[in-house]
Amino acid sequence: MLINTIILFLRDALPVFVISTILISLLQQQGIKQLWYFLAACSSVILSLFLLTAIDDISHTFDSTGREWLYACFYIVCYFITLLLLTQLPVVQGHLSMRRHFVILLCASSLMVIVMTLNSANFLIYITGFWYQNNASNVLVAGVILGVGICASIAVLLYFLMTFIERYCRIICQILLIFFSAGLLMKATNLLIQIDVLSSERFLWDSNHLIIENSELGQLLTVFVGYDATPTMLQFSLYLSAILIAFSLMLSRAIFSKPSPTITLSKEAA
C-alpha cells in the first residue's frame, strides 16, 4: 500500500508539480506575476471534484469508453495549447503587447487547469477507494506525506536547476514543456490503444528489462519525457513528430522574429 501510494503520487501528482514549476518559471521570464496560478489552481480543485462525482456516468458513455475518450482528447488539446503558447513567447525578453500577454496567460492557465483537473481526479479516485479499507488509513497517510515530500522536492530541484541552466540556455523551460506535452500525447495514444481506436500492433521494443515502466524511475521518466517501455511504430512516429513540430515552431519564431537591420545616414550623407 505504501509503495503503491508513492508510485501513484509519481504518476498523478508529480505531473502537476512539474507543469506548475515549468509554467511559473516560464511566465516569470516574461515578467508575469503568479496570480494566474492561484486562480488556475482553485478552478482545478473545483473541476476535479466535479469530475470525481461525474466520472462513473462519463465512463459508461460511448460503450463504456467515455473516460478514455475524455482523457485522450484533453491530453491532445494540451499539446496544441503548448504549440500556441510557444508561438506567443517572445524571442527576446521585453515588453509584451496586451494581446500576446492575454494569450500567454490563457494558454498557461488552460494547460494548468486541464493537467491538474485530470490528475487530481485520478488521485481522488484512488484515495476514496482505499481510505475506508481496514488498517489502510495509517499507511495511506504515511504514503501521502512521503509522496508530497518527494514531489515537492523534485519540483524545487527542478526550479533551481532551470534557473541555473537558464544562464546558458534561455529556452530550457520551453524544451521541458515540449517534452512534457509530447508525453501527454503518448498518454493519449495509450488510452486510444486500450479502447481499440488505434492499432495495438507489435511493439518496436520492450525496455522493461532496463527500466520498468511502472517503477519509480519509470514513472519519473514518463512525466518528464513521456517514457513508454513498449511503444508501437505509430506511437513512436507520433512522439517524434510532436517534438519536431514543436521545435520547428520555436526555430521559425526565432528566425522570423529577428528585427530587420536599420540603416542610419549621417547628416553629411543626407
Side-chain angles (χ1 to χ4, degrees):
M1 176 69 72
L2 181 61
I3 298 299
N4 290 338
T5 305
I6 294 175
I7 292 178
L8 176 80
F9 262 93
L10 294 177
R11 188 192 70 188
D12 290 329
L14 185 59
V16 177
F17 282 83
V18 170
I19 192 62
S20 299
T21 305
I22 293 173
L23 290 176
I24 288 174
S25 180
L26 190 61
L27 268 64
Q28 276 183 346
Q29 293 178 1
Q30 313 305 323
I32 299 176
K33 297 181 179 180
Q34 297 177 9
L35 177 61
W36 69 272
Y37 177 77
F38 296 106
L39 295 176
C42 292
S43 302
S44 301
V45 171
I46 296 173
L47 290 174
S48 61
L49 292 174
F50 173 77
L51 182 59
L52 178 64
T53 59
I55 194 65
D56 288 335
D57 295 330
I58 294 173
S59 298
H60 288 92
T61 59
F62 300 107
D63 295 328
S64 298
T65 61
R67 180 183 176 277
E68 287 78 6
W69 273 111
L70 177 70
Y71 276 65
C73 289
F74 273 118
Y75 286 146
I76 294 171
V77 168
C78 284
Y79 173 73
F80 286 103
I81 291 175
T82 299
L83 294 184
L84 179 59
L85 178 60
L86 291 174
T87 61
Q88 297 301 311
L89 293 172
V91 177
V92 180
Q93 184 176 355
H95 179 70
L96 293 173
S97 64
M98 289 295 295
R99 184 192 66 83
R100 181 169 288 188
H101 185 279
F102 173 77
V103 174
I104 291 175
L105 274 178
L106 181 62
C107 290
S109 301
S110 301
L111 193 58
M112 188 70 245
V113 168
I114 294 174
V115 174
M116 185 177 288
T117 298
L118 297 182
N119 285 273
S120 297
N122 282 340
F123 181 76
L124 290 174
I125 291 171
Y126 175 86
I127 292 296
T128 54
F130 284 93
W131 185 261
Y132 296 105
Q133 288 188 2
N134 294 330
N135 301 322
S137 58
N138 293 334
V139 178
L140 197 59
V141 169
V144 168
I145 294 174
L146 286 174
V148 171
I150 292 171
C151 292
S153 300
I154 293 174
V156 171
L157 289 174
L158 177 63
Y159 179 82
F160 286 108
L161 180 63
M162 288 191 299
T163 302
F164 174 76
I165 298 178
E166 188 183 340
R167 305 173 186 174
Y168 311 98
C169 179
R170 295 197 68 257
I171 60 172
I172 181 61
C173 295
Q174 300 176 42
I175 293 174
L176 290 175
L177 182 60
I178 289 172
F179 280 100
F180 181 88
S181 61
L184 294 181
L185 206 57
M186 285 292 288
K187 287 185 178 181
T189 58
N190 280 323
L191 290 171
L192 294 177
I193 287 175
Q194 290 177 18
I195 57 177
D196 297 327
V197 175
L198 296 180
S199 174
S200 56
E201 58 194 28
R202 189 176 61 181
F203 302 135
L204 286 178
W205 63 75
D206 186 351
S207 57
N208 277 308
H209 62 284
L210 296 176
I211 302 175
I212 301 175
E213 187 175 341
N214 291 326
S215 66
E216 292 85 349
L217 179 58
Q219 292 297 332
L220 194 65
L221 292 176
T222 299
V223 172
F224 281 97
V225 296
Y227 172 71
D228 193 325
T230 55
T232 64
M233 183 63 190
L234 178 61
Q235 285 183 294
F236 184 67
S237 301
L238 287 175
Y239 180 78
L240 286 183
S241 299
I243 292 177
L244 289 175
I245 290 172
F247 275 103
S248 297
L249 283 176
M250 286 180 55
L251 182 61
S252 61
R253 176 172 53 88
I255 293 174
F256 293 108
S257 297
K258 287 183 178 180
S260 57
T262 57
I263 301 175
T264 57
L265 298 177
S266 62
K267 292 183 179 179
E268 292 79 8

